[in-house]
Amino acid sequence: MKIPFVSFHPMENELNDEIRAAFDRVFTRSWYIEGIEDKTFEKVFAEYCGVKYCIGVGNGLDALMLALKALDIGEGDEVIVPSNTYIATALAVTYVGAVPVLVEPDIETFNINPSLIEEKITEKTKAIMPVHLYGQACNMDSIMEIAKKYGLKVVEDCAQAHGAKYKGQKVGTFGDVAGFSFYPGKNLGALGDAGAVVTNNKELAEKVRIFGNYGSDFKYHHIYKGNNSRLDELQAAFLLAKLPHLERMNAERRRIAKKYTEGIKNPKVITPYFLEDCDPVWHIYGIRCDERDALEKYLNEKCIGTNKHYPIPIHLQKCYKDLNIPIGALPIAEEISEKELSIPMYYGLNDSEINYIIETINKF
């Protein structure tokens, strides 16, 4: 049995007619930027998230960057981010001229540890950027309490958490603004790069849209030095075809995760933990193992695809050597990077495949 780390085929086969119809609609109209598909998706996705405004952008990194720009965060400012996130979170901060300040995660949830945030706050701190990593919601009560205490903005990174909830409330609705990625591998994925910013703040929404349209509030009139980052019509149409199925497909991910968690009994393997108040969407199912590399080699030899999220933490990446954070300074991020192994998690995994993965891990 050969099981890839991820496969789009089950979903694409199921939605084939809807995806092709979406393409035909756009192609027939010959309108490819800022058209009816984009406007419709923004409206529908805002309603899905439970916010007033959604602005489609080019990708998830741009979503975070434009959100920070709209909040007037820039040179000389600091933004708190988790130390074990994907590098895009930190890059968004860097691109607006601010400095990412890395805070360690909780070793159990992999999400930023609220109890460690306050010690990193300085007079330069302007925002906290919690990342709902792997589709697990952060402890937003604690984060929002800290933000209120210090007068900080909150920018939620929801790139991996479409539909995840904290205490019954969807992520992306707690902070001032949130960014989503629709990279093809996400729970809600386009057929290329795409992203969105969501917020309940009308002024922020207008600024994000203007910044993403060359800084232009109307044609040939530029009030900011903006960017070119807009959700194109084709990707909006594809997302519109997929969105009605997201809850059902997230439910299937939860079913798979439950089978993994209940079935994996190998004492060498630690399965994911999540807060009781959270309803994860399991973008990634990441296990931990002291013998991670040996386990990966073993699973690959048994034709089970794997991935590592993320094998080199941000502070040890060459591009962030200017942060001057030495090896050992962020031990939890480093431990996760050395021990985390992601196993297959996607819509369409069948029970025989799931059982084979569980049995194989238990025999390691």
Side-chain angles (χ1 to χ4, degrees):
M1 185 179 295
K2 186 172 184 178
I3 307 170
F5 174 67
V6 66
S7 174
F8 302 141
H9 293 313
M11 176 179 58
E12 289 172 345
N13 291 339
E14 191 174 303
L15 303 182
N16 179 70
D17 292 344
E18 293 168 71
I19 293 291
R20 292 183 182 278
F23 173 83
D24 288 342
R25 287 199 311 270
V26 176
F27 190 66
T28 300
R29 289 193 196 106
S30 296
W31 190 296
Y32 302 112
I33 300 289
E34 296 184 323
I36 191 171
E37 302 290 338
D38 185 18
K39 291 181 175 63
T40 303
F41 175 74
E42 289 179 345
K43 179 178 182 296
V44 173
F45 191 66
E47 291 172 350
Y48 171 80
C49 292
V51 296
K52 294 179 181 178
Y53 308 103
C54 169
I55 306 92
V57 299
N59 54 68
L61 171 54
D62 283 359
L64 298 175
M65 178 190 67
L66 293 169
L68 291 169
K69 290 183 76 168
L71 289 168
D72 298 320
I73 293 172
E75 292 289 340
D77 296 333
E78 294 177 350
V79 177
I80 298 221
V81 302
S83 58
N84 65 312
T85 183
Y86 182 56
I87 199 167
T89 313
L91 287 175
V93 177
T94 301
Y95 287 171
V96 299
V99 176
V101 176
L102 305 180
V103 171
E104 289 272 72
D106 183 314
I107 188 62
E108 291 189 320
T109 67
F110 290 11
N111 279 333
I112 192 167
N113 189 337
S115 67
L116 302 178
I117 291 176
E118 287 192 77
E119 65 189 53
K120 293 294 185 77
I121 293 174
T122 72
E123 61 182 15
K124 296 180 180 180
T125 307
K126 294 297 187 294
I128 303 170
M129 189 180 287
V131 181
H132 305 292
L133 202 67
Y134 300 179
Q136 311 261 19
C138 294
N139 182 342
M140 291 309 298
D141 280 352
S142 297
I143 291 169
M144 295 308 297
E145 185 178 334
I146 294 168
K148 183 178 180 180
K149 179 179 177 180
Y150 291 92
L152 304 177
K153 301 298 184 182
V154 175
V155 180
E156 293 179 70
D157 183 340
C158 303
Q160 301 181 0
H162 314 68
K165 294 179 182 177
Y166 175 74
K167 292 187 174 180
Q169 181 177 336
K170 283 181 180 169
V171 299
T173 62
F174 293 89
D176 297 271
V177 64
F180 284 85
S181 166
F182 303 122
Y183 182 77
K186 306 299 186 185
N187 292 36
L188 179 62
L191 302 190
D193 273 322
V197 176
V198 301
T199 182
N200 282 311
N201 186 308
K202 183 179 180 181
E203 181 183 354
L204 274 180
E206 290 174 348
K207 287 181 72 174
V208 168
R209 191 176 299 283
I210 291 169
F211 271 122
N213 188 34
Y214 298 96
S216 173
D217 54 348
F218 59 89
K219 195 167 185 177
Y220 302 135
H221 185 260
H222 304 269
I223 57 177
Y224 303 121
K225 294 174 182 175
N227 302 81
N228 174 20
S229 185
R230 300 169 297 194
L231 177 61
D232 71 55
E233 282 290 278
L234 269 176
Q235 300 306 335
F238 295 146
L239 290 167
L240 273 171
K242 288 185 172 185
L243 182 55
H245 305 278
L246 178 58
E247 285 297 299
R248 175 173 60 85
M249 292 182 175
N250 279 345
E252 178 61 10
R253 287 174 178 266
R254 293 187 185 102
R255 188 187 75 84
I256 296 167
K258 187 172 186 291
K259 286 183 72 70
Y260 278 155
T261 303
E262 293 176 350
I264 295 173
K265 301 298 185 183
N266 191 322
K268 295 181 178 181
V269 174
I270 300 173
T271 55
Y273 170 88
F274 61 93
L275 299 174
E276 289 184 5
D277 292 330
C278 293
D279 190 6
V281 292
W282 300 104
H283 171 60
I284 289 167
Y285 192 93
I287 58 179
R288 277 185 291 149
C289 180
D290 289 342
E291 303 171 47
R292 191 267 308 276
D293 293 344
L295 174 59
E296 180 181 40
K297 183 174 183 292
Y298 163 77
L299 291 176
N300 294 168
E301 288 173 348
K302 300 295 184 180
C303 299
I304 297 171
T306 57
N307 203 342
K308 295 188 283 284
H309 295 89
Y310 301 96
I312 305 175
I314 292 170
H315 68 289
L316 300 182
Q317 295 284 355
K318 184 177 180 180
C319 65
Y320 274 114
K321 64 181 181 182
D322 59 314
L323 293 179
N324 296 312
I325 302 175
I327 294 175
L330 296 171
I332 300 177
E334 291 175 24
E335 179 179 345
I336 291 172
S337 73
E338 293 168 358
K339 297 182 179 181
E340 191 276 348
L341 185 66
S342 303
I343 60 177
M345 169 57 73
Y346 55 87
Y347 178 79
L349 270 176
N350 62 49
D351 283 348
S352 63
E353 292 170 326
I354 297 165
N355 291 335
Y356 175 69
I357 292 167
I358 292 170
E359 291 166 5
T360 305
I361 290 174
N362 285 340
K363 291 176 181 177
F364 174 68

